[in-house]
């Protein structure tokens, strides 16, 4: 889900040797950059739009990829074929994931989540999104995260962990995924760049609370 520590996670993976291609290094709401490859984002946006959705309006039902979108993804990955390991981050991917998995079935995943209130508050601060809409959006993204994990488990981190605990667990994940964890210094993580902590008072729908508890139990 957006505003959940995905940029911190991706920047840390990059420190450990993950190649991201062309990626964003700065924006007003993320001073170290969201680490997103705009070509990936454009593909995801095009698939969402073709299915009547957007990043903040997850489509219902089966998401279908056009042949044009498939070709764009293949061409992009071919461009990075000499780079290993190559990876990308875009929360929208959860909404269109079936197409990516069909094209590249051997992809490895790593997930991260954050307290729903913190995410809703951050979305409100960034773009004025109503808190309840932010909570519902958190649910739509993270229920997909849980579904994918149920089908094929992979590491999931909790961004609400204390900094030292988060870094320690991230180190373990990097090592388990085959990265040279000894070369990783953990310098990308910056507590000062966190926004909207989870202590704000907000009514949370029961299904959001239940899903959050499930993710907490799965987190390493």
């Amino acid at each position: 889900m957006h505003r959940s520590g995905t940029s911190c996670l991706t920047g840390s993976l990059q420190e450990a040797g993950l190649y991201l291609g062309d990626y964003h290094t700065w924006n007003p709401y993320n001073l170290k950059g969201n680490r997103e490859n705009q070509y990936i984002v454009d593909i995801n946006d095009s698939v969402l739009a073709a299915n009547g959705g957007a990043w903040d309006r997850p489509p219902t039902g089966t998401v279908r990829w056009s042949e044009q979108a498939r070709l764009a993804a293949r061409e992009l990955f071919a461009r990075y074929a000499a780079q290993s390991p190559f990876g990308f981050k875009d929360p929208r991917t959860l909404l269109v994931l079936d197409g990516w998995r069909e094209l590249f079935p051997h992809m490895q995943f790593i997930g991260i989540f954050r307290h729903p209130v913190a995410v809703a508050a951050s979305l409100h601060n960034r773009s004025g999104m109503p808190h309840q809409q932010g909570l519902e959006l958190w649910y739509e993204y993270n229920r997909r995260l849980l579904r994918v994990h149920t089908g094929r488990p992979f590491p999931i981190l909790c961004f609400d962990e204390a900094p030292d605990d988060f870094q320690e667990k991230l180190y373990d994940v990097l090592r388990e995924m085959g990265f040279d964890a000894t070369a990783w210094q953990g310098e990308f993580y910056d507590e000062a760049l966190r926004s909207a902590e989870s202590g704000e008072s907000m009514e949370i729908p029961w299904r959001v609370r239940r899903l959050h508890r499930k993710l907490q139990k799965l987190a390493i």
Side-chain angles (χ1 to χ4, degrees):
M1 173 58 194
H2 304 263
R3 319 305 295 169
S4 296
T6 57
S7 302
C8 175
L9 174 58
T10 307
S12 298
L13 288 166
Q14 185 183 23
E15 284 181 331
L18 185 69
Y19 182 74
L20 301 177
D22 299 321
Y23 61 91
H24 295 298
T25 58
W26 183 90
N27 70 50
Y29 304 100
N30 197 327
L31 299 184
K32 287 192 173 183
N34 61 21
R35 289 359 232 191
E36 290 176 4
N37 185 314
Q38 189 60 47
Y39 296 108
I40 298 285
V41 174
D42 289 344
I43 291 170
N44 287 340
D45 275 338
S46 71
V47 173
L48 287 170
N51 286 271
W55 76 269
D56 56 350
R57 289 185 292 105
T60 59
T62 301
V63 173
R64 304 189 184 280
W65 282 54
S66 68
E67 198 53 46
Q68 182 180 2
R70 293 173 185 273
L71 179 60
R74 291 192 190 98
E75 290 179 345
L76 180 63
F77 271 54
R79 190 184 313 169
Y80 299 131
Q83 305 294 334
S84 181
F86 167 70
F88 66 91
K89 163 253 170 174
D90 177 19
R92 298 166 184 79
T93 305
L94 276 170
L95 307 180
V96 299
L97 185 58
D98 287 347
W100 287 109
R101 296 179 77 175
E102 183 179 336
L103 288 168
F104 309 105
H106 300 298
M107 287 195 302
Q108 288 183 280
F109 302 118
I110 176 171
I112 189 168
F113 70 97
R114 190 181 184 190
H115 194 284
V117 171
V119 171
S122 185
L123 287 170
H124 178 77
N125 293 341
R126 185 187 72 175
S127 54
M129 180 179 289
H131 289 105
Q132 290 304 311
Q133 181 182 350
L135 292 174
E136 287 300 319
L137 199 60
W138 181 97
Y139 177 82
E140 288 301 325
Y141 275 78
N142 282 292
R143 75 179 181 88
R144 289 168 170 81
L145 177 66
L146 178 61
R147 183 178 64 197
V148 177
H149 182 274
T150 301
R152 191 177 78 185
F154 52 86
I156 294 181
L157 292 162
C158 177
F159 196 53
D160 299 307
E161 294 269 13
D164 288 346
D165 293 338
F166 180 81
Q167 295 280 68
E168 181 179 346
K169 292 179 179 182
L170 179 53
Y171 177 89
D172 291 339
V173 168
L174 292 173
R175 187 174 54 190
E176 291 173 7
M177 295 185 75
F179 288 95
D180 181 7
T182 60
W184 176 69
Q185 301 298 315
E187 296 178 351
F188 191 87
Y189 182 95
D190 186 349
E191 179 70 10
L193 295 181
R194 274 193 189 223
S195 62
E197 295 300 323
S198 59
E200 300 180 30
S201 176
M202 191 183 303
E203 183 179 351
I204 307 176
W206 68 268
R207 64 176 186 166
V208 175
R209 292 197 306 270
R210 184 177 64 179
L211 178 55
H212 182 245
R213 286 195 297 268
K214 289 181 178 180
L215 292 174
Q216 285 180 308
K217 291 179 181 179
L218 291 175
I220 64 170

Coordinates of all heavy atoms in Angstrom, one line a residue, residues 79-154:
R79 N 15.2 -4.8 -21.7 CA 16.1 -3.7 -21.6 C 17.1 -3.9 -20.4 O 18.2 -3.5 -20.4 CB 15.4 -2.4 -21.5 CG 16.2 -1.1 -21.7 CD 15.4 0.1 -21.5 NE 14.1 0.1 -22.2 CZ 13.1 0.9 -22.0 NH1 13.3 1.9 -21.1 NH2 12.0 0.9 -22.7
Y80 N 16.5 -4.6 -19.4 CA 17.3 -4.7 -18.2 C 17.8 -6.2 -18.0 O 18.3 -6.6 -16.9 CB 16.4 -4.4 -17.0 CG 15.9 -3.0 -16.9 CD1 14.6 -2.7 -16.7 CD2 16.8 -1.9 -17.1 CE1 14.1 -1.4 -16.6 CE2 16.3 -0.6 -17.1 CZ 15.0 -0.4 -16.8 OH 14.6 0.9 -16.8
A81 N 17.8 -6.9 -19.1 CA 18.2 -8.3 -19.0 C 19.6 -8.6 -18.5 O 19.9 -9.6 -17.9 CB 18.0 -9.0 -20.4
A82 N 20.5 -7.6 -18.8 CA 21.9 -7.8 -18.4 C 22.1 -7.4 -17.0 O 23.2 -7.7 -16.4 CB 22.8 -7.0 -19.3
Q83 N 21.1 -6.9 -16.3 CA 21.3 -6.5 -14.9 C 20.6 -7.5 -14.0 O 19.5 -7.9 -14.2 CB 20.6 -5.1 -14.7 CG 21.1 -4.0 -15.7 CD 22.5 -3.6 -15.4 OE1 23.0 -3.8 -14.3 NE2 23.2 -3.1 -16.4
S84 N 21.4 -7.9 -13.0 CA 20.9 -8.9 -12.1 C 21.4 -8.7 -10.7 O 22.6 -8.5 -10.6 CB 21.3 -10.3 -12.6 OG 20.8 -11.3 -11.7
P85 N 20.6 -8.7 -9.7 CA 19.1 -8.8 -9.8 C 18.4 -7.5 -10.2 O 18.8 -6.5 -9.7 CB 18.7 -9.3 -8.4 CG 19.7 -8.6 -7.5 CD 21.0 -8.6 -8.3
F86 N 17.4 -7.6 -11.0 CA 16.6 -6.4 -11.3 C 15.3 -6.5 -10.6 O 14.7 -7.6 -10.4 CB 16.3 -6.4 -12.8 CG 15.2 -5.4 -13.2 CD1 15.4 -4.0 -13.1 CD2 14.0 -5.8 -13.6 CE1 14.4 -3.1 -13.4 CE2 12.9 -4.9 -13.9 CZ 13.2 -3.6 -13.8
G87 N 14.8 -5.4 -10.1 CA 13.5 -5.4 -9.4 C 12.8 -4.1 -9.5 O 13.4 -3.1 -10.0
F88 N 11.6 -4.0 -9.1 CA 10.8 -2.8 -9.1 C 9.8 -2.7 -8.0 O 9.5 -3.7 -7.4 CB 10.1 -2.6 -10.5 CG 9.0 -3.6 -10.7 CD1 7.7 -3.3 -10.4 CD2 9.3 -4.8 -11.4 CE1 6.7 -4.2 -10.6 CE2 8.3 -5.7 -11.6 CZ 7.0 -5.4 -11.3
K89 N 9.4 -1.5 -7.7 CA 8.5 -1.2 -6.6 C 7.4 -0.3 -7.2 O 7.7 0.8 -7.8 CB 9.1 -0.6 -5.4 CG 8.2 0.1 -4.4 CD 8.3 1.6 -4.5 CE 7.2 2.3 -3.7 NZ 7.4 3.8 -3.7
D90 N 6.2 -0.6 -7.1 CA 5.0 0.2 -7.3 C 3.8 -0.4 -6.6 O 3.4 -1.5 -7.0 CB 4.8 0.4 -8.8 CG 3.5 1.2 -9.1 OD1 3.1 2.0 -8.2 OD2 3.0 1.2 -10.2
P91 N 3.3 0.3 -5.6 CA 2.1 -0.3 -4.9 C 1.0 -0.7 -5.9 O 0.2 -1.7 -5.6 CB 1.7 0.8 -4.0 CG 2.9 1.5 -3.7 CD 3.7 1.5 -5.0
R92 N 0.8 0.0 -7.0 CA -0.2 -0.4 -8.0 C -0.1 -1.8 -8.5 O -1.1 -2.4 -8.9 CB -0.1 0.5 -9.2 CG -0.4 2.0 -8.9 CD 0.1 2.8 -10.1 NE 0.0 4.2 -10.0 CZ 0.9 5.0 -9.3 NH1 1.9 4.4 -8.7 NH2 0.7 6.3 -9.2
T93 N 1.1 -2.4 -8.4 CA 1.4 -3.7 -8.9 C 0.4 -4.7 -8.2 O 0.0 -5.7 -8.9 CB 2.8 -4.1 -8.6 OG1 3.7 -3.2 -9.2 CG2 3.1 -5.5 -9.2
L94 N 0.0 -4.5 -6.9 CA -0.9 -5.4 -6.3 C -2.2 -5.5 -7.0 O -2.9 -6.5 -6.9 CB -1.1 -5.0 -4.8 CG 0.0 -5.5 -3.8 CD1 -0.2 -4.8 -2.5 CD2 -0.1 -7.0 -3.6
L95 N -2.6 -4.4 -7.6 CA -3.9 -4.3 -8.3 C -3.9 -5.0 -9.7 O -5.0 -5.3 -10.2 CB -4.4 -2.8 -8.4 CG -4.3 -2.0 -7.2 CD1 -4.8 -0.6 -7.5 CD2 -5.2 -2.6 -6.1
V96 N -2.7 -5.2 -10.2 CA -2.6 -5.8 -11.6 C -1.7 -6.9 -11.6 O -1.1 -7.3 -12.7 CB -2.2 -4.7 -12.6 CG1 -3.2 -3.5 -12.6 CG2 -0.8 -4.1 -12.3
L97 N -1.5 -7.6 -10.5 CA -0.4 -8.5 -10.3 C -0.5 -9.8 -11.2 O 0.5 -10.3 -11.6 CB -0.3 -8.9 -8.8 CG 0.9 -9.8 -8.5 CD1 2.2 -9.2 -8.8 CD2 0.9 -10.2 -7.0
D98 N -1.7 -10.2 -11.5 CA -1.8 -11.4 -12.3 C -1.1 -11.4 -13.6 O -0.5 -12.3 -14.0 CB -3.3 -11.8 -12.5 CG -4.0 -12.3 -11.2 OD1 -3.3 -12.6 -10.3 OD2 -5.2 -12.3 -11.2
G99 N -1.1 -10.2 -14.2 CA -0.5 -10.0 -15.5 C 1.0 -10.1 -15.4 O 1.7 -10.8 -16.2
W100 N 1.6 -9.5 -14.4 CA 3.0 -9.6 -14.1 C 3.5 -11.0 -13.8 O 4.5 -11.5 -14.3 CB 3.4 -8.7 -13.0 CG 3.4 -7.2 -13.3 CD1 2.5 -6.3 -12.8 CD2 4.3 -6.5 -14.1 NE1 2.8 -5.0 -13.3 CE2 3.9 -5.1 -14.1 CE3 5.4 -6.9 -14.9 CZ2 4.6 -4.2 -14.9 CZ3 6.1 -5.9 -15.6 CH2 5.7 -4.5 -15.6
R101 N 2.7 -11.7 -13.1 CA 3.1 -13.1 -12.7 C 3.0 -14.0 -13.9 O 3.7 -15.0 -14.0 CB 2.1 -13.6 -11.6 CG 2.3 -12.8 -10.3 CD 1.4 -13.3 -9.2 NE 1.9 -14.6 -8.6 CZ 1.3 -15.2 -7.6 NH1 0.2 -14.7 -7.1 NH2 1.7 -16.3 -7.1
E102 N 2.0 -13.7 -14.8 CA 1.9 -14.5 -16.0 C 3.1 -14.3 -16.9 O 3.6 -15.3 -17.5 CB 0.6 -14.2 -16.7 CG 0.4 -15.0 -18.0 CD -0.9 -14.6 -18.7 OE1 -1.8 -14.1 -18.0 OE2 -1.0 -14.9 -19.9
L103 N 3.5 -13.1 -17.0 CA 4.7 -12.8 -17.9 C 6.0 -13.2 -17.3 O 6.9 -13.7 -18.0 CB 4.7 -11.2 -18.1 CG 3.6 -10.7 -19.0 CD1 3.7 -9.1 -18.9 CD2 3.9 -11.1 -20.5
F104 N 6.1 -13.1 -16.0 CA 7.4 -13.4 -15.3 C 7.1 -14.2 -14.1 O 7.2 -13.7 -12.9 CB 8.1 -12.1 -14.9 CG 8.2 -11.1 -16.1 CD1 7.4 -10.0 -16.2 CD2 9.1 -11.4 -17.1 CE1 7.5 -9.1 -17.2 CE2 9.2 -10.5 -18.2 CZ 8.4 -9.4 -18.3
P105 N 6.9 -15.5 -14.3 CA 6.4 -16.4 -13.1 C 7.4 -16.6 -12.1 O 7.1 -17.1 -11.0 CB 6.0 -17.7 -13.9 CG 6.8 -17.7 -15.1 CD 6.9 -16.2 -15.6
H106 N 8.7 -16.3 -12.3 CA 9.7 -16.6 -11.3 C 10.1 -15.4 -10.5 O 11.1 -15.5 -9.7 CB 11.0 -17.1 -12.0 CG 10.8 -18.4 -12.8 ND1 10.4 -19.6 -12.2 CD2 10.9 -18.6 -14.2 CE1 10.2 -20.5 -13.2 NE2 10.5 -19.9 -14.4
M107 N 9.3 -14.4 -10.5 CA 9.6 -13.2 -9.7 C 9.5 -13.6 -8.2 O 8.7 -14.4 -7.8 CB 8.6 -12.1 -10.0 CG 8.7 -11.4 -11.3 SD 7.8 -9.8 -11.3 CE 6.1 -10.4 -11.1
Q108 N 10.4 -12.9 -7.4 CA 10.3 -13.1 -6.0 C 9.6 -11.8 -5.4 O 9.8 -10.7 -6.0 CB 11.7 -13.2 -5.4 CG 12.4 -14.5 -5.7 CD 13.8 -14.5 -5.0 OE1 14.8 -13.9 -5.5 NE2 13.9 -15.1 -3.8
F109 N 8.9 -12.0 -4.3 CA 8.2 -10.9 -3.7 C 8.8 -10.6 -2.3 O 9.2 -11.6 -1.6 CB 6.7 -11.2 -3.6 CG 6.1 -11.5 -4.9 CD1 5.5 -12.7 -5.1 CD2 6.0 -10.5 -5.9 CE1 4.8 -13.0 -6.3 CE2 5.4 -10.8 -7.1 CZ 4.8 -12.0 -7.3
I110 N 8.6 -9.4 -1.9 CA 8.8 -9.0 -0.5 C 7.8 -8.0 -0.2 O 7.6 -7.0 -1.0 CB 10.2 -8.5 -0.2 CG1 10.4 -8.1 1.3 CG2 10.7 -7.4 -1.1 CD1 11.8 -7.8 1.7
G111 N 7.1 -8.1 0.9 CA 6.0 -7.2 1.2 C 6.3 -6.4 2.5 O 7.1 -6.7 3.3
I112 N 5.5 -5.3 2.6 CA 5.6 -4.4 3.8 C 4.3 -3.8 4.0 O 3.5 -3.5 3.1 CB 6.7 -3.4 3.6 CG1 7.0 -2.6 4.9 CG2 6.4 -2.4 2.5 CD1 8.3 -1.8 4.9
F113 N 3.9 -3.6 5.3 CA 2.6 -3.0 5.6 C 2.8 -2.0 6.8 O 3.9 -2.1 7.5 CB 1.5 -4.0 5.9 CG 1.7 -4.7 7.3 CD1 1.1 -4.2 8.4 CD2 2.6 -5.8 7.3 CE1 1.3 -4.9 9.6 CE2 2.8 -6.4 8.5 CZ 2.1 -6.0 9.7
R114 N 1.9 -1.1 7.0 CA 1.9 -0.1 8.0 C 0.6 0.0 8.6 O -0.5 -0.3 8.0 CB 2.4 1.2 7.4 CG 2.7 2.3 8.4 CD 3.1 3.6 7.7 NE 3.5 4.6 8.6 CZ 3.8 5.9 8.2 NH1 3.6 6.2 6.9 NH2 4.1 6.8 9.1
H115 N 0.5 0.5 9.9 CA -0.8 0.6 10.5 C -1.8 1.5 9.7 O -1.4 2.5 9.1 CB -0.6 1.4 11.9 CG -1.8 1.3 12.8 ND1 -2.9 2.0 12.6 CD2 -2.0 0.5 13.9 CE1 -3.8 1.7 13.5 NE2 -3.3 0.8 14.3
P116 N -3.0 1.0 9.5 CA -3.9 1.7 8.6 C -4.2 3.1 9.0 O -4.4 4.0 8.1 CB -5.2 0.8 8.7 CG -5.0 0.0 10.0 CD -3.6 -0.2 10.1
V117 N -4.2 3.5 10.3 CA -4.4 4.9 10.6 C -3.3 5.7 10.2 O -3.5 6.9 9.7 CB -4.6 5.0 12.2 CG1 -4.6 6.4 12.6 CG2 -5.9 4.3 12.6
A118 N -2.0 5.2 10.3 CA -0.9 6.0 9.9 C -0.9 6.2 8.3 O -0.6 7.3 7.9 CB 0.4 5.3 10.2
V119 N -1.3 5.2 7.6 CA -1.4 5.3 6.2 C -2.5 6.4 5.8 O -2.3 7.2 4.9 CB -1.7 4.0 5.5 CG1 -2.0 4.1 4.0 CG2 -0.5 3.0 5.7
A120 N -3.7 6.2 6.4 CA -4.8 7.2 6.1 C -4.4 8.6 6.4 O -4.7 9.5 5.7 CB -6.0 6.7 6.9
A121 N -3.7 8.8 7.6 CA -3.3 10.1 7.9 C -2.3 10.7 7.0 O -2.3 11.9 6.6 CB -2.7 10.1 9.4
S122 N -1.4 9.8 6.5 CA -0.4 10.3 5.5 C -1.0 10.6 4.2 O -0.6 11.7 3.6 CB 0.7 9.2 5.3 OG 1.7 9.6 4.5
L123 N -2.0 9.9 3.7 CA -2.7 10.2 2.5 C -3.4 11.5 2.6 O -3.5 12.3 1.7 CB -3.6 9.0 2.1 CG -3.0 7.8 1.6 CD1 -4.0 6.7 1.5 CD2 -2.3 8.0 0.2
H124 N -4.0 11.7 3.8 CA -4.8 12.9 4.1 C -3.8 14.1 4.0 O -4.1 15.2 3.4 CB -5.5 12.8 5.4 CG -6.2 14.1 5.8 ND1 -7.5 14.4 5.2 CD2 -5.9 15.1 6.6 CE1 -7.9 15.6 5.7 NE2 -7.0 16.0 6.5
N125 N -2.7 14.0 4.7 CA -1.7 15.1 4.7 C -1.1 15.4 3.3 O -0.9 16.5 3.0 CB -0.5 14.7 5.7 CG -1.0 14.6 7.1 OD1 -2.0 15.2 7.5 ND2 -0.2 14.0 7.9
R126 N -1.0 14.3 2.5 CA -0.3 14.5 1.2 C -1.3 15.1 0.2 O -1.0 16.0 -0.6 CB 0.2 13.2 0.7 CG 1.0 13.3 -0.6 CD 1.3 12.0 -1.2 NE 0.1 11.3 -1.7 CZ 0.2 10.1 -2.4 NH1 1.4 9.5 -2.6 NH2 -0.9 9.5 -2.8
S127 N -2.5 14.6 0.1 CA -3.4 14.9 -0.9 C -4.9 15.2 -0.5 O -5.7 15.4 -1.4 CB -3.5 13.8 -2.0 OG -3.8 12.5 -1.4
G128 N -5.1 15.3 0.8 CA -6.4 15.7 1.3 C -7.4 14.6 1.2 O -8.6 14.8 1.3
M129 N -7.0 13.3 1.0 CA -7.9 12.2 0.9 C -8.6 12.0 2.3 O -8.0 12.0 3.3 CB -7.2 10.9 0.6 CG -8.1 9.7 0.5 SD -7.2 8.2 0.0 CE -6.8 8.5 -1.7
P130 N -10.0 11.9 2.3 CA -10.7 11.7 3.5 C -10.2 10.4 4.3 O -9.8 9.4 3.6 CB -12.1 11.5 3.1 CG -12.2 12.2 1.8 CD -10.9 12.1 1.1
H131 N -10.1 10.5 5.6 CA -9.5 9.4 6.4 C -10.2 8.1 6.1 O -9.5 7.0 6.0 CB -9.5 9.7 7.9 CG -8.6 10.8 8.3 ND1 -9.0 12.1 8.6 CD2 -7.2 10.8 8.4 CE1 -7.9 12.8 8.9 NE2 -6.9 12.1 8.8
Q132 N -11.5 8.1 6.0 CA -12.2 6.8 5.8 C -11.9 6.2 4.5 O -11.8 5.0 4.3 CB -13.7 7.0 6.1 CG -14.1 7.2 7.5 CD -13.6 6.1 8.4 OE1 -13.8 4.9 8.2 NE2 -13.0 6.5 9.5
Q133 N -11.8 7.1 3.5 CA -11.4 6.6 2.1 C -10.0 6.0 2.2 O -9.7 4.9 1.6 CB -11.4 7.7 1.1 CG -11.1 7.3 -0.3 CD -11.1 8.4 -1.3 OE1 -11.5 9.5 -1.0 NE2 -10.6 8.1 -2.5
G134 N -9.1 6.6 2.9 CA -7.8 6.1 3.1 C -7.7 4.7 3.8 O -7.0 3.8 3.4
L135 N -8.6 4.5 4.7 CA -8.7 3.2 5.4 C -9.2 2.2 4.5 O -8.7 1.0 4.5 CB -9.6 3.4 6.7 CG -9.1 4.2 7.8 CD1 -10.1 4.3 8.9 CD2 -7.8 3.6 8.4
E136 N -10.2 2.5 3.7 CA -10.8 1.5 2.7 C -9.7 1.2 1.7 O -9.6 0.0 1.2 CB -12.0 2.1 2.1 CG -13.2 2.1 3.0 CD -13.6 0.8 3.5 OE1 -13.6 -0.2 2.7 OE2 -13.9 0.6 4.7
L137 N -9.0 2.2 1.2 CA -7.9 1.9 0.2 C -6.8 1.0 0.8 O -6.3 0.1 0.2 CB -7.3 3.2 -0.2 CG -6.6 3.2 -1.6 CD1 -7.5 2.8 -2.7 CD2 -6.0 4.6 -1.9
W138 N -6.5 1.3 2.1 CA -5.5 0.4 2.8 C -6.0 -1.0 2.8 O -5.3 -2.0 2.5 CB -5.4 0.9 4.2 CG -4.4 0.1 5.1 CD1 -3.1 0.4 5.3 CD2 -4.6 -1.2 5.7 NE1 -2.5 -0.6 6.1 CE2 -3.4 -1.5 6.4 CE3 -5.8 -2.0 5.9 CZ2 -3.3 -2.7 7.1 CZ3 -5.6 -3.1 6.6 CH2 -4.4 -3.5 7.3
Y139 N -7.3 -1.2 3.0 CA -7.9 -2.6 3.0 C -7.8 -3.2 1.7 O -7.4 -4.4 1.6 CB -9.4 -2.5 3.5 CG -10.1 -3.8 3.5 CD1 -9.9 -4.7 4.6 CD2 -10.9 -4.2 2.4 CE1 -10.5 -5.9 4.6 CE2 -11.5 -5.4 2.4 CZ -11.3 -6.3 3.5 OH -11.9 -7.5 3.4
E140 N -8.2 -2.5 0.6 CA -8.2 -3.1 -0.7 C -6.8 -3.5 -1.2 O -6.7 -4.6 -1.8 CB -8.7 -2.1 -1.7 CG -10.2 -1.8 -1.6 CD -11.0 -3.1 -1.8 OE1 -10.6 -3.9 -2.6 OE2 -12.1 -3.3 -1.1
Y141 N -5.8 -2.7 -0.8 CA -4.4 -3.1 -1.2 C -3.9 -4.3 -0.4 O -3.4 -5.3 -0.9 CB -3.5 -2.0 -1.0 CG -3.4 -1.0 -2.2 CD1 -4.4 -0.1 -2.5 CD2 -2.3 -1.1 -3.1 CE1 -4.3 0.8 -3.5 CE2 -2.2 -0.2 -4.2 CZ -3.2 0.7 -4.4 OH -3.2 1.5 -5.5
N142 N -4.1 -4.2 0.9 CA -3.5 -5.2 1.8 C -4.3 -6.5 1.8 O -3.7 -7.6 2.1 CB -3.4 -4.6 3.2 CG -2.2 -3.7 3.4 OD1 -1.1 -4.1 3.3 ND2 -2.5 -2.4 3.5
R143 N -5.6 -6.5 1.4 CA -6.2 -7.8 1.3 C -5.7 -8.6 0.1 O -5.6 -9.8 0.1 CB -7.7 -7.7 1.2 CG -8.3 -7.2 -0.1 CD -9.8 -7.1 -0.1 NE -10.4 -6.6 -1.3 CZ -10.7 -7.4 -2.3 NH1 -10.6 -8.7 -2.2 NH2 -11.3 -6.9 -3.4
R144 N -5.2 -7.8 -0.9 CA -4.6 -8.5 -2.0 C -3.2 -9.0 -1.6 O -2.8 -10.1 -2.1 CB -4.5 -7.5 -3.2 CG -5.8 -7.2 -3.9 CD -5.7 -6.0 -4.8 NE -6.9 -5.8 -5.7 CZ -8.0 -5.3 -5.3 NH1 -8.1 -4.8 -4.0 NH2 -9.0 -5.1 -6.1
L145 N -2.5 -8.2 -0.8 CA -1.2 -8.7 -0.3 C -1.3 -10.0 0.4 O -0.6 -10.9 0.2 CB -0.6 -7.6 0.6 CG 0.7 -7.9 1.3 CD1 1.9 -8.0 0.2 CD2 1.1 -6.9 2.3
L146 N -2.3 -10.0 1.3 CA -2.6 -11.3 2.0 C -2.9 -12.4 1.1 O -2.5 -13.6 1.3 CB -3.7 -11.0 3.1 CG -4.1 -12.3 3.9 CD1 -3.0 -12.8 4.7 CD2 -5.3 -11.9 4.8
R147 N -3.7 -12.2 0.1 CA -4.1 -13.3 -0.8 C -2.9 -13.8 -1.6 O -2.8 -15.0 -1.7 CB -5.2 -12.7 -1.8 CG -5.7 -13.8 -2.8 CD -6.8 -13.2 -3.7 NE -6.2 -12.1 -4.6 CZ -6.9 -11.2 -5.2 NH1 -8.2 -11.2 -5.1 NH2 -6.3 -10.3 -6.0
V148 N -2.1 -12.9 -2.0 CA -0.9 -13.4 -2.7 C 0.0 -14.2 -1.8 O 0.6 -15.2 -2.2 CB -0.1 -12.2 -3.3 CG1 1.2 -12.7 -4.0 CG2 -1.0 -11.4 -4.3
H149 N 0.2 -13.7 -0.6 CA 1.0 -14.4 0.4 C 0.5 -15.8 0.7 O 1.2 -16.8 0.9 CB 1.1 -13.6 1.7 CG 2.0 -14.2 2.7 ND1 1.6 -15.1 3.6 CD2 3.3 -14.0 3.0 CE1 2.6 -15.5 4.4 NE2 3.6 -14.8 4.0
T150 N -0.9 -15.9 0.8 CA -1.5 -17.2 1.1 C -1.2 -18.2 0.0 O -1.0 -19.4 0.3 CB -3.0 -17.0 1.2 OG1 -3.3 -16.1 2.3 CG2 -3.7 -18.3 1.6
G151 N -1.2 -17.7 -1.3 CA -0.9 -18.6 -2.4 C 0.5 -19.1 -2.5 O 0.8 -20.2 -2.9
R152 N 1.4 -18.1 -2.1 CA 2.9 -18.4 -2.2 C 3.6 -17.5 -1.2 O 3.9 -16.4 -1.5 CB 3.4 -18.2 -3.6 CG 4.8 -18.7 -3.8 CD 5.3 -18.5 -5.3 NE 5.7 -17.2 -5.5 CZ 6.1 -16.7 -6.7 NH1 6.0 -17.5 -7.8 NH2 6.5 -15.4 -6.9
P153 N 3.9 -18.0 0.0 CA 4.4 -17.2 1.1 C 5.7 -16.5 0.7 O 6.5 -17.1 -0.1 CB 4.6 -18.2 2.2 CG 3.6 -19.3 2.0 CD 3.6 -19.4 0.5
F154 N 5.9 -15.3 1.2 CA 7.1 -14.6 1.0 C 7.3 -13.7 2.2 O 6.4 -13.5 3.0 CB 7.1 -13.7 -0.3 CG 5.8 -12.9 -0.4 CD1 5.7 -11.6 0.2 CD2 4.7 -13.4 -1.0 CE1 4.6 -10.9 0.1 CE2 3.5 -12.7 -1.1 CZ 3.5 -11.4 -0.6

